[in-house]
Amino acid sequence: MQAWALVDYKAPLRLIDLPTPEPTGTEVLLEVTHCGVCHSDLHLWDGFFDLGDGRRLSLADRGLKLPLVMGHEIVGRVVAVGPEANAVKPGDSRIVFPWLGCGRCAQCETEEDNLCQVPSAIGLVRSGGYGSHVMVPHSRHLVDYAPLDPALAATYACSGITVLAAIRKVMPMEPDEPLVVIGAGGLGRQALAVLAALGHRNIVAVDPDPAKREAALAAGARAALDGAAEDLPAQITAACGGPVRAVIDLVNGPSTVRAAFAVLARGGTLVHVGLFGGGFSVPLPVMAMRALSLRGSYVGNPKDLRALVALAREGRLEPVPVVRMRRDQVNEALTILREGRAEGRMVLEA
Ligand SMILES: [Zn+2]
Ligand SMILES: [Zn+2]
């Protein structure tokens, strides 16, 4: 098999030859037909996350080994199965749930794989979808998506379940209760689509880019505010009619979190989703007196993926814009993403 691999941090991915793995046990080998290009690939490409105060989380220190085949938004066709594999057969097309853990602990066994203490995600730790083939340890990590568009379905494995899992952390809410979504780029559009599918009708979107605010309004946001405005907290409370019970911060940088924290109502929840980087100082008495919750949310689990696909199959989930490119354009796609020029989720086709 061949794959576009991260060989050196910050250097263009290189096409390398790898042995095609043979499935054993419950393993399933798929030929990759579609793979989305994601912002988190840029952090892998750099080799670190910015933790604020000049501190960095080095991925090499965390055990990341090069060469790495990135790519975690995968749709593929089953080509071979291990002797103990069930539920799929060669020829079946499936979405790959990539956020794997050890496969044996209580979290993994209850399908909370993304909360496993030994993360082993496809495209981050295991070999991912920027290659011709990908191996999955068990068919329970494969989701049938027919008759949906496979390029769109690929994005559900990451951006889709990321927003669904974050939304679940602030639910239940009345459909008309205000909910703030910070960031109206790719994830923000997906969040608006999922909230609409769940019947939520009162979303205030925040983004510094006027074009993205325009798109958010077109996608059903009730208001769209300038994320760069000096008086953003005042604008949010004005738009929401007072302090807010739920803010989902898809950017999660120091300035967005400061604004989000300032507008939280008593008992309110701020969900941290983005990987922008940086830090934030929390006034501890305020946490207690206002009974606030700050919750991190990282990707989602296989139950989220199946729930999302079900919403899409029922026709309730508005498709997000997808830009199709060829797999050998992967470096171009990453550069477009780095420069903020993407006009939708970019998906590489074989
Ligand atoms: Zn992703
Ligand atoms: Zn586990």
Side-chain angles (χ1 to χ4, degrees):
M1 64 171 280
Q2 286 198 312
W4 289 90
L6 178 63
V7 178
D8 288 307
Y9 294 117
K10 293 194 171 74
L13 307 191
R14 288 216 315 254
L15 188 62
I16 61 171
D17 286 305
L18 293 167
T20 306
E22 296 261 342
T24 60
T26 60
E27 288 177 335
V28 179
L29 182 70
L30 298 99
E31 195 170 53
V32 178
T33 59
H34 299 78
C35 187
V37 179
C38 178
H39 249 108
S40 46
D41 293 332
L42 298 179
H43 295 291
L44 292 172
W45 202 12
D46 288 337
F48 67 88
F49 285 91
D50 170 16
L51 297 178
D53 306 330
R55 291 175 305 143
R56 283 178 170 190
L57 174 69
S58 152
L59 295 169
D61 292 350
R62 290 278 306 266
L64 188 124
K65 291 191 184 64
L66 303 185
L68 170 71
V69 181
M70 303 193 295
H72 53 263
E73 304 184 358
I74 306 166
V75 159
R77 194 179 308 111
V78 174
V79 287
V81 299
E84 293 154 46
N86 53 30
V88 291
K89 58 181 189 313
D92 289 345
S93 285
R94 294 288 185 270
I95 308 174
V96 174
F97 172 82
W99 309 107
L100 307 184
C102 70
R104 293 178 298 278
C105 70
Q107 276 75 26
C108 289
E109 283 184 355
T110 51
E111 296 208 292
E112 305 276 351
D113 310 59
N114 58 317
L115 301 181
C116 175
Q117 301 303 315
V118 192
S120 183
I122 293 174
L124 284 83
V125 178
R126 295 164 174 272
S127 214
Y130 293 164
S132 56
H133 294 75
V134 69
M135 184 73 90
V136 176
H138 198 284
S139 61
R140 75 176 186 84
H141 296 118
L142 299 174
V143 176
D144 188 0
Y145 61 89
L148 304 173
D149 167 19
L152 179 66
T155 71
Y156 292 157
C158 180
S159 64
I161 59 173
T162 294
V163 300
L164 180 61
I167 289 165
R168 284 197 165 159
K169 291 182 171 70
V170 298
M171 291 292 162
M173 285 177 74
E174 291 298 323
D176 291 312
E177 193 175 356
L179 188 158
V180 175
V181 174
I182 299 180
L187 270 187
R189 292 290 293 280
Q190 188 71 265
L192 288 168
V194 173
L195 282 163
L198 296 173
H200 206 84
R201 292 189 292 259
N202 192 354
I203 304 147
V204 173
V206 176
D207 201 287
D209 180 341
K212 289 181 180 154
R213 291 201 295 275
E214 208 52 53
L217 291 171
R222 193 179 53 73
L225 307 176
D226 179 2
E230 293 249 322
D231 63 341
L232 177 62
Q235 286 195 31
I236 293 174
T237 46
C240 294
V244 191
R245 228 163 55 81
V247 182
I248 297 174
D249 191 349
L250 303 171
V251 180
N252 194 29
S255 74
T256 61
V257 169
R258 260 196 300 276
F261 192 82
V263 302
L264 283 180
R266 285 175 192 277
T269 300
L270 165 56
V271 185
H272 303 272
V273 181
L275 300 174
F276 182 87
F280 168 67
S281 168
V282 177
L284 297 173
V286 173
M287 286 297 300
M289 290 186 297
R290 284 163 56 197
L292 303 178
S293 300
L294 303 184
R295 296 197 63 180
S297 191
Y298 183 62
V299 299
N301 61 40
K303 295 173 277 192
D304 294 322
L305 183 54
R306 290 195 295 268
L308 194 71
V309 169
L311 282 176
R313 280 173 146 175
E314 289 162 17
R316 290 161 65 192
L317 190 60
E318 195 62 35
V320 294
V322 168
V323 180
R324 292 153 201 272
M325 297 174 79
R326 294 188 319 271
R327 185 187 292 147
D328 62 9
Q329 293 176 294
V330 61
N331 285 307
E332 193 183 329
L334 287 166
T335 303
I336 290 171
L337 203 57
R338 168 84 82 204
E339 294 171 357
R341 291 187 284 119
E343 286 168 7
R345 297 296 291 193
M346 284 183 290
V347 177
L348 306 175
E349 296 180 318

